Every structure is written in structure tokens, then in C-alpha cells.
Amino acid sequence: MRLKDKVAIITGAAGGIGFASVKRFLQEGAKVVLADFDKEQLDLRERELNEQGFNNFLTSVVDVSDRKSVDWMVRETVEAFGTIDVLINNAGITRDAMLTKMEPVDFQRVLEVNVAGVFNCTQAVIGQMLEKGSGKIINTSSVSGVYGNIGQTNYAASKAAVIGMTKTWAKELGKKGINVNSVVPGFTETNMVTTVPEKVIESIKGMIPLRRLGKPEDIANAYLFLASKEADYINGAVLHVDGGIMM
Ligand code: NAD
């Protein structure tokens, strides 16, 4: 029960990594807000959790790129659970194309969700955390943001920005008792990589010293650790959970 009675918002909670994290956090005693854009998927996830006997959670349909929608989600959270202890900024999208083919609208949208979304959610919860002088914020970057990736100008830029925001907030908020860290997933088995051809997946596996893709649970465990008391002295860290792919 490493998160007993802690209130955690997980964005992108209906997706692969997000939902694995929801289950992990609930198992560890947290009260969890599943925040996601995809209402249909969120309803399915809600049903699954009910069937498994979990009841300490709330679902909230939110577009993280829309500040009003985020403010509403935060209000709902505080009304239901009274406070916010942990924010996992996990929602993210890709709109891949080579530089010469990338539509400006796709460049813009990825930044709105992956960068402004992280800013919106963090700014919306920070008042709650500052008031009580504690909190854990975990931002999801990507190996693309650290090393770049062909076809991902928008995504790589957005995920590099996530690391910049993490380090800045670690400096601004550390003295207020709030820890801000970033997790850098490598290739992880979710919808985000299901469109990648099998041949490419095999060659990626060949580049990973551990010789397998990440599982959503691998990332969920990193979120859990950084959200727990065990990580109280970790701040501004960029934790790679990528099987050592770019080492
Ligand atoms: P996923 O597509 O399974 O889940 C992403 C979730 O975010 C979806 O449920 C989607 O509905 C939600 N979402 C999208 N736009 C949103 C918005 N505007 N507001 C609220 N929710 C929104 O992908 P995943 O692999 O679980 O990704 C989780 C995070 O991990 C993302 O930030 C992603 O960039 C990052 N990541 C994933 C991989 C990978 O290989 N899967 C690698 C590196 C980083």
C-alpha cells in the first residue's frame, strides 16, 4: 500500500501505459482519477475496473490541451476526493511525417497536447499542492525527445520540451515540497506502436540490450516509484525506462 489514500490524477488513463498505471496505483491504495479524451474507451476501462472490484476511482473526460476542460477535471477531483497528491502527465499523441511532408496543423496539434497539455494540468493542480506543501508531478517524455527520431519532428520537439519543463519546475517547486520528475519510455507495447511493421519491431528489439519492447507495466512501475515516499529525495530526474536502447 505504497500510495495509501493518496489522490492521483493520471492523464491518458484510458490508453496502454495510463491504464496499466491506474491499476497499479489502485492496487497500492491510491484514489485515482482516470482523465482521458476518449469517452468510449474510458467507459470500457471503468467497466473493467468495476468488474475487478475496484471502486476508489473516478473517470473524467478531458482534453488536456483545453484549459477550461482541465480546470473542470481538477474541480471534479477536489470535489470527489478533497485534494490532489500526485499528477501523472501521461496523455500524449503522435502525428508522424517526414519534415518535408509534415502539415503545420499536425506540428501544432502535437505541441498543444504534449506540451500545453502538460503545462495546463500542472498549473491547474499546483495550487492544491502548494497549499499543503507537498506533491509529486511526473511528466512523460520519450526516447524521441532525448535522441530525436526520423519522422517525429513534432513529437521529438514536444517530448524534449517535457524534459525542459520538468527541470524548470523541479527548481521552482522543490523548495515548496513538490517533487517533479520525468519518465522516458522506450518502445512500449501499446496502441502507439501497433502500427509499426513487424520487421521494424524485430530490428528495434535487436537494438535493445534487454531484447524486448517495454510493457505498459514497466512504465507504470516507474511512475509508482516516483509517486511514492521512497522517491522523496528524487527531484528533476529523467528516468529512462527503455531497456537501455540508446545507452
Ligand atoms: P496510448 O495511445 O495507448 O495512450 C494515450 C492516451 O492519451 C489515449 O488514451 C488518448 O485518448 C489520450 N489522449 C490523447 N490526446 C488527449 C488529450 N488531448 N486529452 C486527454 N487525453 C488524451 O499511448 P501510450 O503508449 O500509453 O502513451 C502514454 C504516454 O507515453 C504518451 O505520453 C506517449 O507519448 C508516451 N510514450 C509512449 C511510448 C510507446 O512506445 N508506447 C514511447 C515513449 C513515450
Side-chain angles (χ1 to χ4, degrees):
M1 299 299 265
R2 287 148 82 190
L3 296 179
K4 192 166 168 31
D5 295 332
K6 297 288 182 198
V7 177
I9 295 175
I10 301 179
T11 69
I17 293 171
F19 191 59
S21 308
V22 167
K23 286 201 273 193
R24 201 72 192 82
F25 277 43
L26 286 169
Q27 286 161 356
E28 295 288 341
K31 299 171 184 170
V32 181
V33 177
L34 286 76
D36 203 288
F37 190 53
D38 185 341
K39 183 172 179 345
E40 212 173 299
Q41 190 65 9
L42 210 45
D43 288 346
L44 288 175
R45 299 305 202 181
E46 179 169 12
R47 216 167 308 147
E48 191 180 328
L49 289 177
N50 284 328
E51 280 165 12
Q52 292 177 9
F54 291 112
N55 48 28
N56 248 346
F57 69 90
L58 169 84
T59 59
S60 182
V61 180
V62 62
D63 176 356
V64 294
S65 71
D66 174 0
R67 183 54 189 265
K68 279 206 181 94
S69 160
V70 169
D71 285 342
W72 174 251
M73 179 269 290
V74 169
R75 249 197 320 274
E76 266 188 315
T77 303
V78 176
E79 270 171 26
F81 296 132
T83 188
I84 298 162
D85 299 292
V86 178
L87 169 66
I88 310 288
N89 277 312
N90 167 78
I93 58 166
T94 52
R95 298 257 172 107
D96 295 356
M98 299 299 274
L99 172 63
T100 49
K101 302 252 171 69
M102 187 169 282
E103 296 291 343
V105 66
D106 289 333
F107 180 81
Q108 195 61 39
R109 184 62 189 152
V110 169
L111 266 78
E112 279 167 13
V113 175
N114 297 3
V115 182
V118 171
F119 169 80
N120 286 338
C121 293
T122 305
Q123 208 181 42
V125 304
I126 205 65
Q128 287 289 327
M129 293 184 178
L130 287 171
E131 216 169 87
K132 57 184 189 177
S134 67
K136 296 263 165 67
I137 296 169
I138 295 132
N139 299 324
T140 311
S141 179
S142 163
V143 287
S144 276
V146 180
Y147 304 104
N149 197 21
I150 290 171
Q152 292 198 313
T153 296
N154 47 6
Y155 186 72
S158 73
K159 294 300 189 178
V162 165
I163 293 176
M165 291 191 288
T166 299
K167 292 186 174 180
T168 300
W169 297 337
K171 289 180 177 177
E172 284 187 15
L173 301 169
K175 56 181 172 292
K176 310 277 188 191
I178 298 163
N179 305 54
V180 189
N181 292 294
S182 181
V183 169
V184 179
F187 292 89
T188 310
E189 286 167 353
T190 70
N191 281 343
M192 213 170 245
V193 298
T194 45
T195 51
V196 179
E198 193 50 38
K199 238 177 92 180
V200 179
I201 293 286
E202 284 311 311
S203 84
I204 290 170
K205 281 186 193 165
M207 293 191 291
I208 302 172
L210 293 178
R211 292 291 186 271
R212 66 168 177 88
L213 298 194
K215 295 184 192 315
E217 293 74 20
D218 292 320
I219 313 303
N221 282 329
Y223 289 162
L224 169 64
F225 169 60
L226 290 172
S228 75
K229 245 193 106 39
E230 292 152 30
D232 275 357
Y233 199 57
I234 301 180
N235 190 35
V238 178
L239 177 59
H240 286 232
V241 187
D242 61 2
I245 189 169
M246 295 294 188
M247 210 172 32

